[in-house]
Amino acid sequence: MSVRTALTVPRLRRLDPLGALLAGAGAVAAVFLPFVVLKSNRIVPGDPRGLLDALPAWGALGCQAVLICAAIAALGVSNARVRLGAALLGVAAVALAVAAAGDALTPAGNKVVRVAPGAGFWVLLMCLGLMATDAVTRMRPGPGLRVLFLALSIVVAGLALAHGTFDHLSVMREYAVNADRFAREARQHVWLALGSLAAAVLVALPIGILCHRVPRLRSGVLGTLNVIQTIPAIALFGILMVPLAALAAAVPLAAALGIRGIGAAPAAVALFLYSLLPIAANTVAGLKRVPRAAVEAARGMGMTSWQILTGIELILALPVILTGIRIVLVQNIGMVTVAALIGGGGLGTFVFQGIGQTAIDLVLLGAIPIVALAFSAAVVLDALAEVLDRARQ
Amino acid sequence: MISVENLSKQYGATTVVDGVSMVIERNSITVIVGTSGSGKSTLLRMINRLIEPTRGRVLIDGHDTTGEPAHLLRRRIGYAIQGHGLFPHRTVAENIATVPRLLGWDEARIRARVEELLLVFQLDPGAYAGAFPHQLSGGQQQRVGVARALAAEPAVLLMDEPFGALDPIIRAKAQDDLLDIQRRFGTTIVLVTHDMDEAFRLGDHVAVMSHGRLLQYDRPAVLLTRPADPFVSRMTGVSDRAMRLLSLTTAGEAALPGVSEGPAVAAAASLREVLSELLWRGADSAVVMDADGTRRGYLTIAAILERGRPG
Ligand SMILES: Nc1ncnc2c1ncn2[C@@H]1O[C@H](COP(=O)(O)OP(=O)(O)OP(=O)(O)O)[C@@H](O)[C@H]1O
Ligand SMILES: [Mg+2]
């Protein structure tokens, strides 16, 4: 027995509980669940196909080999880098396999037949994604590395999409049909989320500062904002319709600016209102964290109130304020979806249209980018908050 | 010179500082003592207008402090507090440069001044200029706090319990450093403390406050020998007042001309320390030596005891 086996054997024996769960679920999905669904058109229920029925043999076997490697890594390898590498290879294999299935199953020139990713694909993707996330968490990468990772993923996904790798899949078929609208609604989505965030920062930051300076106001103001948070989105849209419609009727300028009882205006106002509490509350919490002695010394040395606020207090509170902004941005990206219900536009348009037409591919065309946007926003703002916090600790 | 004239502060119906008048000499250290809540901090903070008085006024070198905006006044007055109040997101050098920057000094002058102060406070500029406050020990943080207060060469330095958070050994060192710095820069220092030993050690004058009123303001020896009020004797301590008195005189000041047997003591040592040394050694007399090694004279136990009596 060599020293190497003596070292590696006990390492393989120690089963990783999360890894075991993921490998088990992945195996069940790969064997029993349909990898893709073949539909004769976009709305009929389809014909499920396993990995082996969907791909040329060499492709199916190659994909399975990669998945088995990933399962072994999940079960028995403790090195986080190896686990991450295996998970990413698995993601690539599954993605390429589903793209290849699209190419293989679509008859040449046929624009009606749809190949949609099946439950097996989604479960595998989820298991591999969780495995990758877990590995990244164990590696504790710095904020810069996390953003780099995100950027690389976006570039790879973007290149694959631009190259047309997935063009034969049902979601991309929906995209091809809706390309113009997709760009417009995506812009509208980001615009609504960021615009309401920016307006909320402009208003909530001074509110937070005021609540910090005048403790008497604090519970009243934050309590009111908290009540707004508890109103369901749809109800808030409804409540806003009345005054906004009245405003549009009474003030021609408002109507000319596009303010109406339905549409983007009530959506933006609702998102703005929801955004106030997290930012104001985190501003108060962040300012409370600023050492009193530092502020006292700053005043004693002749800094003006403005210099103390901008040069000391807000800078020291910034990581906490950014956490609030992160909450709001992620929340807004999700909530803009609902705005589509009242004609506010955004990617939610595809989601609700898809639900209406029972066209699940159209739902995905809206849902996948929303999830990706929210995830990216969370990663970037988390990293930013951490960088700032580290510089200040 | 700082003249405090009939200064009062009221919050609603409570009077926190009540008609305090005092004249603080240039180039001296004045220590304000008193029980907690007696209005010491409030009095100090009215000097640089962190608190605006309800009545009365403060003159610095004859100029009313209300003659300019409060923040401009404060840039000319150093201010150091308990717990140092350093800015955690700025380096030691940036912290020290705060007031010079506010005053618009050019960068070269700021850099030179920061370096000078770090050296004065025994902090190697190479190692500490770029450090952040959390990387320093408590004693170092406190020194940076005082260095920052002195950065723009203020004529007046206000200190509110600056050494309150330090352990006894570091605190004694900080007190010695402060005396050195006061001599070096000739700063007029007003310092608030709870600690009577600190007051007697540092103060050229000591002000005793109680319930917002200034009970007595005098040289430490006078506070001991002629207290104006029973509260003043309680503050200064009745049981060891003779020893306190001895601690106010140095061997050099008390040395008798002539030659004698006995252990050598430094001229800078206090009579209290000399007495302790003689008791410890079982000797009756000591030779007083200057720092350069020349004989200043001698002291006997009897001569020392003579100095421990009032009047
Ligand atoms: N803003 C304020 N409003 C009302 N009362 C105040 C205010 N600031 C201080 N006081 C009261 O004034 C009194 C004197 O306070 P001050 O801080 O001057 O005392 P101090 O002698 O420095 O006490 P300590 O030794 O505890 O620091 C205290 O009783 C305090 O409660
Ligand atoms: Mg005080």
Side-chain angles (χ1 to χ4, degrees):
Chain A
M1 275 278 140
S2 72
V3 178
R4 262 185 73 198
T5 22
L7 280 175
T8 44
V9 166
R11 223 173 11 156
L12 271 173
R13 289 241 177 89
R14 217 182 307 121
L15 270 191
D16 180 278
L18 177 70
L21 186 71
L22 294 178
V28 170
V31 175
F32 296 108
L33 293 178
F35 188 68
V36 291
V37 178
L38 184 63
K39 300 187 285 193
S40 51
N41 65 50
R42 66 194 281 258
I43 55 176
V44 295
D47 170 21
R49 296 287 179 96
L51 199 53
L52 285 169
D53 313 323
L55 283 182
W58 59 267
L61 290 178
C63 179
Q64 278 174 341
V66 174
L67 288 177
I68 288 168
C69 289
I72 291 173
L75 284 171
V77 178
S78 56
N79 184 320
R81 284 159 196 273
V82 175
R83 292 172 70 91
L84 179 63
L88 292 181
L89 274 180
V91 169
V94 170
L96 288 176
V98 86
D103 296 343
L105 295 175
T106 310
N110 188 328
K111 295 242 179 231
V112 184
V113 164
R114 293 294 173 107
V115 181
F121 168 82
W122 291 117
V123 173
L124 276 172
L125 194 66
M126 194 189 71
C127 291
L128 291 162
L130 284 174
M131 183 176 162
T133 314
D134 173 59
V136 169
T137 313
R138 290 192 204 182
M139 282 163 61
R140 291 176 207 287
L145 211 56
R146 293 203 302 266
V147 172
L148 186 72
F149 231 80
L150 176 72
L152 276 179
S153 317
I154 292 173
V155 167
V156 170
L159 284 178
L161 289 173
H163 173 253
T165 311
F166 301 108
D167 277 0
H168 283 125
L169 286 183
S170 52
V171 179
M172 292 310 289
R173 282 296 188 70
E174 292 290 354
Y175 171 74
V177 177
N178 293 299
D180 289 350
R181 272 181 62 216
F182 182 85
R184 199 169 60 230
E185 301 297 4
R187 255 200 316 275
Q188 171 84 343
H189 200 102
V190 172
W191 173 237
L192 271 174
L194 286 182
S196 50
L197 169 71
V201 170
L202 286 182
V203 173
L205 209 58
I207 290 180
I209 294 167
L210 193 69
C211 287
H212 175 73
R213 292 272 162 100
V214 192
R216 264 179 309 127
L217 292 178
R218 202 173 299 166
S219 62
V221 172
L222 294 184
T224 310
L225 297 183
N226 200 12
V227 169
I228 297 177
Q229 286 271 312
T230 61
I231 306 175
I234 295 286
L236 189 54
F237 291 149
I239 294 170
L240 286 171
M241 273 182 201
V242 182
L244 287 175
L247 180 68
V251 184
L253 177 68
L257 286 173
I259 294 177
R260 269 171 295 140
I262 57 166
V269 173
L271 291 172
F272 162 80
L273 290 175
Y274 282 131
S275 307
L276 292 177
L277 177 73
I279 299 177
N282 278 47
T283 304
V284 173
L287 289 174
K288 211 185 277 178
R289 210 177 67 144
V290 177
R292 280 181 63 100
V295 175
E296 156 92 10
R299 238 162 68 74
M301 287 187 295
M303 293 176 78
T304 61
S305 299
W306 179 252
Q307 286 168 334
I308 296 172
L309 181 67
T310 55
I312 310 285
E313 292 186 292
L314 282 181
I315 295 197
L316 288 172
L318 197 56
V320 182
I321 297 175
L322 266 182
T323 311
I325 290 178
R326 180 214 119 115
I327 294 171
V328 165
L329 185 55
V330 173
Q331 168 186 294
N332 278 3
I333 289 172
M335 212 131 58
V336 174
T337 314
V338 188
L341 280 182
I342 54 163
L347 292 164
T349 316
F350 300 116
V351 175
F352 290 110
Q353 256 181 27
I355 292 175
Q357 303 172 1
T358 66
I360 196 72
D361 303 329
L362 196 54
V363 175
L364 289 178
L365 180 64
I368 293 173
I370 292 170
V371 173
L373 271 177
F375 182 77
S376 309
V379 169
V380 170
L381 283 177
D382 269 345
L384 200 59
E386 199 181 314
V387 167
L388 290 173
D389 211 23
R390 238 192 240 173
R392 273 156 192 88
Q393 258 326 292
Chain B
M1 191 181 74
I2 307 172
S3 316
V4 173
E5 297 182 356
N6 197 26
L7 210 56
S8 295
K9 180 68 191 180
Q10 279 173 296
Y11 290 109
T14 33
T15 304
V16 172
V17 171
D18 190 0
V20 170
S21 296
M22 62 199 292
V23 172
I24 294 165
E25 285 169 24
R26 237 171 211 284
N27 296 354
S28 72
I29 300 185
T30 295
V31 179
I32 304 174
V33 297
T35 46
S36 190
S38 56
K40 307 180 294 292
S41 298
T42 308
L43 175 60
L44 189 78
R45 290 152 59 91
M46 284 194 286
I47 295 176
N48 67 356
R49 292 176 60 203
L50 278 172
I51 295 175
E52 295 290 352
T54 313
R55 266 188 312 282
R57 58 179 193 162
V58 177
L59 307 179
I60 295 181
D61 293 334
H63 299 290
D64 195 319
T65 51
T66 54
E68 64 184 319
H71 66 276
L72 297 182
L73 170 75
R74 288 184 209 127
R75 290 175 191 176
R76 299 193 291 111
I77 300 178
Y79 187 59
I81 53 177
Q82 177 167 12
H84 62 73
L86 295 178
F87 304 141
H89 60 304
R90 297 197 181 164
T91 62
V92 166
E94 288 166 347
N95 264 285
I96 295 177
T98 305
V99 183
R101 288 245 155 78
L102 290 173
L103 293 174
W105 288 18
D106 63 63
E107 279 305 312
R109 185 174 170 205
I110 292 177
R111 215 170 317 119
R113 178 65 176 165
V114 168
E115 187 151 323
E116 178 192 359
L117 282 166
L118 283 173
L119 291 172
V120 166
F121 282 88
Q122 299 134 46
L123 294 162
D124 172 20
Y128 292 106
F132 284 90
H134 75 273
Q135 296 168 316
L136 272 49
S137 72
Q140 291 170 333
Q141 289 171 338
Q142 190 279 332
R143 276 183 271 164
V144 174
V146 178
R148 181 175 70 171
L150 290 168
E153 300 165 357
V156 175
L157 171 61
L158 308 179
M159 308 179 91
D160 197 343
E161 302 188 36
F163 310 131
L166 303 181
D167 68 59
I169 291 176
I170 305 281
R171 175 191 287 229
K173 170 91 173 62
Q175 291 164 349
D176 286 343
D177 289 349
L178 188 69
L179 287 169
D180 281 350
I181 278 154
Q182 198 273 334
R183 269 176 226 129
R184 177 194 288 246
F185 295 125
T187 318
T188 306
I189 297 177
V190 186
L191 182 145
V192 166
T193 184
H194 273 123
D195 176 354
M196 281 315 293
D197 286 328
E198 184 165 282
F200 277 80
R201 185 153 177 203
L202 296 177
D204 297 311
H205 288 86
V206 174
V208 181
M209 289 190 71
S210 173
H211 299 293
R213 305 221 344 269
L214 179 62
L215 296 184
Q216 191 167 8
Y217 172 52
D218 231 318
R219 297 196 166 273
V222 179
L223 252 53
L224 286 167
T225 54
R226 280 173 279 142
D229 185 291
F231 179 82
V232 175
S233 354
R234 276 214 306 288
M235 271 307 284
T236 53
V238 174
S239 60
D240 60 351
R241 56 190 170 186
M243 300 312 278
R244 279 241 155 89
L245 197 53
L246 287 182
S247 72
L248 292 172
T249 310
T250 65
E253 288 162 354
L256 306 166
V259 198
S260 167
E261 296 292 290
V265 295
S270 73
L271 289 184
R272 180 182 187 156
E273 287 163 333
V274 176
L275 180 60
S276 172
E277 181 70 12
L278 289 176
L279 291 177
W280 191 255
R281 299 237 188 167
D284 285 329
S285 61
V287 183
V288 180
M289 309 287 278
D290 274 325
D292 58 12
T294 58
R295 281 167 189 261
R296 172 78 72 91
Y298 73 101
L299 278 170
T300 61
I301 287 192
I304 294 173
L305 295 185
E306 191 64 35
R307 291 263 185 172
R309 269 172 231 132

